[in-house]
Amino acid sequence: MNRLTLVTFNIQQAMQFSPKRLHLRSVCSALRSLKVDIVLLQEVWIRDGSTFKEMLGGEFQQWKCAEYAEHAQLFGGHQGNAILSTFPLLFKEAIPFSTFHRQPRAMLHVDLALNDTSCSVYNVHLGLGAQERQAQADQLIDVLKRHPLTSPLLLGGDFNDWRRKLSPQFKEGLGLTEAFLKKMGRHARSFPARLPILPLDRMYTRNIQVLESQILKGHPWRHLSDHRPYLIHITHPG
């Protein structure tokens, strides 16, 4: 059985770390030690005049796909979402979905070549307001409806959905199943890192068999961000 490892991780812009580029490399190095195949990162900070791959430094060499999508300007740089993968990139797009004049947001979509099949992967970071999140969820459903119902699909990231409103909508509208919810009967608590009580981070799948799902504990994860990484093991969709 071909087993793949996927992680979603909000790395909090690395604002408390200096220099930030070294923190990004530390995050990727820690994930690489787990032999992760696909990584979804939120709140990735990129210094003005630099690129995501330059910020990764030598860590860039470990990935066949290293894609970043900016969605907000910050002092001295900008932030966005990133996807890393050991599988080659077939397609990439960044889709803005800002609403209510709040902080700009965007979803990063890539199609990855998994041997004899492809898998569509979406990385999102939804807003803090309930109305904002709902409008973004509605847009997400509209966008993801374009994918064939028989193709592998993964939607992950930081949904800020501590009230647990979105999973039933994604199930009904898209046939997506939340990995931890299906395995454990509840959403995974991933925030704050030192004592996780809120279920902010999610992994939704379709036509993908999830073997295991967990929130990573202990060193170094509780020190790398204010979120904990969320990891799932799946069977190879191909």
Side-chain angles (χ1 to χ4, degrees), residues 7-60:
V7 166
T8 182
F9 192 14
N10 182 329
I11 63 172
Q12 196 201 5
Q13 304 171 15
M15 292 302 289
Q16 75 271 48
F17 299 90
S18 181
K20 298 182 184 71
R21 66 182 183 279
L22 296 183
H23 173 64
L24 177 60
R25 295 172 192 176
S26 296
V27 168
C28 292
S29 177
L31 292 170
R32 183 163 51 85
S33 71
L34 299 176
K35 298 181 179 180
V36 178
D37 298 287
I38 300 173
V39 179
L40 312 183
L41 299 176
Q42 302 86 44
E43 291 200 42
V44 178
W45 183 89
I46 305 296
R47 182 180 54 211
D48 280 340
S50 294
T51 67
F52 177 56
K53 292 175 182 177
E54 287 171 344
M55 295 283 285
L56 280 175
E59 287 299 318
F60 165 63

Side-chain angles (χ1 to χ4, degrees), residues 65-110:
C65 166
E67 300 298 328
Y68 167 81
E70 172 190 344
H71 59 71
Q73 289 288 323
L74 297 174
F75 178 76
H78 49 87
Q79 77 171 30
N81 298 337
I83 296 177
L84 301 166
S85 174
T86 57
F87 297 97
L89 176 73
L90 296 174
F91 175 78
K92 169 194 173 181
E93 64 176 341
I95 305 171
F97 65 160
S98 302
T99 55
F100 301 106
H101 306 289
R102 300 289 185 91
Q103 180 185 22
R105 305 277 179 174
M107 62 181 98
L108 175 59
H109 164 217
V110 302

Side-chain angles (χ1 to χ4, degrees), residues 90-189:
L90 296 174
F91 175 78
K92 169 194 173 181
E93 64 176 341
I95 305 171
F97 65 160
S98 302
T99 55
F100 301 106
H101 306 289
R102 300 289 185 91
Q103 180 185 22
R105 305 277 179 174
M107 62 181 98
L108 175 59
H109 164 217
V110 302
D111 290 339
L112 301 174
L114 275 62
N115 298 335
D116 57 347
T117 190
S118 65
C119 182
S120 296
V121 180
Y122 284 82
N123 183 6
V124 302
H125 185 186
L126 302 193
L128 294 173
Q131 287 185 309
E132 179 187 16
R133 279 196 306 279
Q134 186 57 62
Q136 291 165 344
D138 292 341
Q139 185 177 348
L140 262 175
I141 291 172
D142 288 341
V143 169
L144 270 63
K145 278 182 176 178
R146 69 190 186 188
H147 290 280
L149 289 174
T150 56
S151 62
L153 179 63
L154 171 75
L155 168 64
D158 178 357
F159 289 79
N160 276 314
D161 179 33
W162 55 85
R163 296 180 179 178
R164 305 168 179 85
K165 299 288 187 181
L166 299 182
S167 290
Q169 298 176 43
F170 292 151
K171 179 70 173 178
E172 179 179 353
L174 297 166
L176 288 170
T177 302
E178 208 290 315
F180 200 93
L181 178 61
K182 183 176 181 179
K183 288 291 181 182
M184 307 300 292
R186 62 176 177 84
H187 288 102
R189 299 183 182 99

